[in-house]
Amino acid sequence: MTVKTLIIGHGAREHVLGETLVRDGAILYAFMSSKNAGLEDLSQGKIKIHSETDFSEIIEFSKKNNIDFAVIGPEAPLVVGVVDALEKSGIPCVGPRIEAAQLEGSKIFTRNLLEKYKITSNIVSKSFRSMENIESFIKDLGEENIVVKPDGLTGGKGVKVYGDHLFSKQDILDYCQTLIDQKASILLEEKVDGEEFTLQTFVDGKNVVATPLVQDHKRAYEDDAGPNTGGMGSYSMENHLMPFISQEDVDEAIEDMKKVVAATKAETGVEYKGFLYGGYIKTAKGIKLIEFNARLGDPEAMNILPLLKTNFIDICMGIINGNLKSDIQFENKATVCKYLAPKGYPMSPQKNELVIINKEKLKQLGAKYYYASVYREGGNVYTTSSRAMGIIGVANDLESAEKVAEQGVGCISGKLFYRKDIGTAKLLQKRIDHMNSLLQ
Ligand code: GLY
């Protein structure tokens, strides 16, 4: 049977989702707010360029094309109810309904849920709608232990951490005041030290199936310097763990996610279905939750989907029908993703600059590439203000995967930069040393 699938979204995460669906036999359609050249090619032009939150247009496009199911890539349509709208019109979706998508859409909802259901990965936090009691909370926790998060989606911006962005109690209070003045609800959280890892899972309402662990690199420059970005690249290991994260740690995080999925149903009456991204940190006090996302990660989707051996359409159907199988297989290979971004990103990116891609050479090397925020005009590709392309090396071990990614980056030219250190032994050792120093 031929399956017609619709992908919603326009970035590198959606490009790799679309590639995996087509690889496994789907006929692809794409609905995106800006044209992703990879999705345009994979779908052979069966696309619509329109706002990803205009549900009636998505429904009309889906009905016209007899779509069997939709896969929602980004969080923005999920948190405003795209799945509820499509399902009401008879279009099954891979993605959570609005109530369950609050796990990403509201940090306050998530912390309250973890607290109410006594989920051990929780950390100390308190939400505020006014400045009342903020100062005493800061005093209790110690200003050097404070993270300030506006509630709701912030696109990776808005979270400010003591020591990185805030350097005194007054800085914290001023930032809280700014958010309160903007009518935002805010969450003050305990700052935790450790090594972060991404655990992306497939969830069918009850079953939670893990994919290989990934570590992302948020800082713009080498050695984790510079401003935060959407993620400059990521790696995964051939054993699907991290050198500083054991199978027991993963099992603990999976148990945690299962409890959260059950708690979401108990609290909202809605089953969580779709991809659930657990942003965890291993600390001296155990595994703690930084954030959930109601979607796959970007770049992390590019680390896991190219390794998938199980048919992705079957996985999507399992998620939709609530009968996801637990034996989902991935190749025992390492991956390294290096993101190329326009020079000046994220502060003052050089837009509308030509990106030259040597596709022949990339193919020879076996490096994979995914389009992010670039546009194609007259056969040429140009930068916008965000990350341009993800280049992926897949190999038997991390060293070889890093080499492929690095050589792949060499096939792209333009006014771009990237982090050479991602996936290198030196950076990995730094992470191991950091973790060991905390566990002593
Ligand atoms: N890589 C972080 C994210 O997708 O949110």
Side-chain angles (χ1 to χ4, degrees), residues 94-114:
V94 178
R97 290 190 192 162
I98 189 167
E99 293 289 338
Q102 286 186 90
L103 283 178
E104 174 161 4
S106 170
K107 297 167 185 80
I108 295 174
F109 168 85
T110 299
R111 286 290 169 214
N112 288 343
L113 191 81
L114 265 61

Side-chain angles (χ1 to χ4, degrees), residues 353-425:
E353 295 290 346
L354 183 63
V355 178
I356 298 165
I357 307 163
N358 188 339
K359 290 187 186 170
E360 207 45 52
K361 188 86 193 293
L362 281 161
K363 201 170 162 189
Q364 276 169 24
L365 290 168
K368 301 175 83 62
Y369 62 97
Y370 299 98
Y371 295 105
S373 295
V374 283
Y375 64 95
R376 187 163 61 187
E377 211 170 78
N380 290 327
V381 170
Y382 298 91
T383 59
T384 66
S385 56
S386 196
R387 296 171 296 178
M389 291 179 70
I391 310 297
I392 321 295
V394 178
N396 289 332
D397 55 53
L398 191 68
E399 193 183 341
S400 313
E402 195 275 334
K403 207 176 273 172
V404 176
E406 190 65 25
Q407 288 169 338
V409 166
C411 301
I412 318 290
S413 46
K415 290 189 176 163
L416 301 162
F417 79 101
Y418 73 104
R419 277 185 59 168
K420 208 173 166 55
D421 61 345
I422 292 173
T424 59

Side-chain angles (χ1 to χ4, degrees), residues 13 75 104 156 198 200 216-218 229-234 277 291 293 295-301 387:
R13 169 185 45 218
E75 63 278 19
E104 174 161 4
T198 302
Q200 299 170 97
D216 185 18
H217 299 72
K218 295 217 167 57
T229 69
M232 289 301 292
S234 45
Y277 169 122
E291 64 179 3
N293 291 321
R295 51 170 173 80
L296 292 180
D298 188 346
E300 294 99 320
R387 296 171 296 178

Side-chain angles (χ1 to χ4, degrees), residues 224-261:
D224 298 322
N228 269 341
T229 69
M232 289 301 292
S234 45
Y235 67 91
S236 69
M237 309 288 292
E238 61 274 20
N239 64 357
H240 301 163
L241 301 171
M242 299 270 120
F244 40 84
I245 306 292
S246 66
Q247 186 58 52
E248 290 71 38
D249 294 329
V250 177
D251 293 345
E252 192 181 322
I254 286 288
E255 281 312 307
D256 192 82
M257 290 176 93
K258 283 184 184 160
K259 284 182 196 152
V260 168
V261 165

Side-chain angles (χ1 to χ4, degrees), residues 164-182:
D164 286 343
H165 319 93
L166 308 167
F167 300 96
S168 65
K169 185 171 93 179
Q170 197 53 47
D171 280 358
I172 300 171
L173 289 170
D174 289 348
Y175 184 48
C176 290
Q177 185 69 62
T178 305
L179 295 172
I180 296 287
D181 288 348
Q182 293 164 0

